[in-house]
Amino acid sequence: MKLKLIISASLSVLLLTACNDDKVENPPENAPDENQNNETSNEAAFNFTNFDLEVEYKDNKTIDVDYENEKNGMEAAYLDDLADEKLTSDEAMEKLTPIFEGLSFDQNTENQEVINQVKDAFSVDDNYQTFELEVKFPDGTEKEYSETKTQ
């Protein structure tokens, strides 16, 4: 029984450690987090607090971007199978910051315009099968954008 408890505790520690691999130690200044007062700042680095993008291609190739800026910290991960690039934490943030700064959409922007901006910013190849984006804005608004190509 003691052995099971020790093994269980050890596995829990490993699991929790693995979850923090995406933690950003040096976040960009002025990046809004989801727990700010429901005010958007003109000085904010990005127009959103969470950004989750998944673009799927044939042959199980994907572009997967995960960004969260919450009260307990910032996390970022970037995977691009087409470019054979996998980045986490600060390395991912270094890649994502200039891309995010170039995005100008907000919660009121037309869906197709958001999709077009993100596809351009991440150089999404036109032969993708699905495009799914979930964004949370500083005022708490959450929006989903998607596009599926039939071939």
Side-chain angles (χ1 to χ4, degrees):
M1 182 71 175
K2 261 188 172 181
L3 182 60
K4 283 184 181 179
L5 184 60
I6 292 171
I7 290 173
S8 178
S10 297
L11 288 175
S12 296
V13 169
L14 285 174
L15 182 61
L16 289 173
T17 303
C19 291
N20 289 328
D21 286 347
D22 298 342
K23 185 120 178 145
V24 175
E25 299 298 325
N26 299 306
E29 291 182 26
N30 300 325
D33 71 57
E34 71 176 13
N35 293 305
Q36 286 179 337
N37 296 334
N38 290 334
E39 302 171 11
T40 56
S41 169
N42 292 335
E43 309 260 334
F46 315 133
N47 296 335
F48 43 83
T49 59
N50 293 39
F51 185 97
D52 185 7
L53 171 66
E54 186 169 337
V55 181
E56 294 181 356
Y57 296 90
K58 289 182 180 179
D59 303 324
N60 294 323
K61 302 285 186 186
T62 63
I63 295 175
D64 192 2
V65 177
D66 293 305
Y67 166 78
E68 292 181 11
N69 192 9
E70 299 175 346
K71 187 175 185 177
N72 61 349
M74 182 182 292
E75 294 181 2
Y78 175 83
L79 169 70
D80 184 344
D81 288 331
L82 301 175
D84 196 28
E85 202 168 5
K86 182 178 181 180
L87 306 170
T88 58
S89 64
D90 289 312
E91 289 178 333
M93 226 34 250
E94 285 177 29
K95 171 84 175 184
L96 294 173
T97 296
I99 295 171
F100 287 167
E101 288 174 342
L103 297 172
S104 62
F105 67 85
D106 63 21
Q107 62 270 36
N108 300 315
T109 305
E110 293 291 327
N111 288 6
Q112 193 59 52
E113 174 60 24
V114 173
I115 291 170
N116 291 342
Q117 277 191 41
V118 172
K119 285 180 0 185
D120 287 346
F122 286 94
S123 302
V124 172
D125 193 322
D126 280 339
N127 66 353
Y128 66 90
Q129 292 180 310
T130 61
F131 175 101
E132 295 178 2
L133 173 64
E134 294 177 23
V135 179
K136 186 171 184 180
F137 297 94
D139 70 355
T141 302
E142 294 182 41
K143 296 205 71 178
E144 294 182 14
Y145 310 87
S146 64
E147 201 172 67
T148 302
K149 289 195 171 184
T150 53
Q151 295 179 352

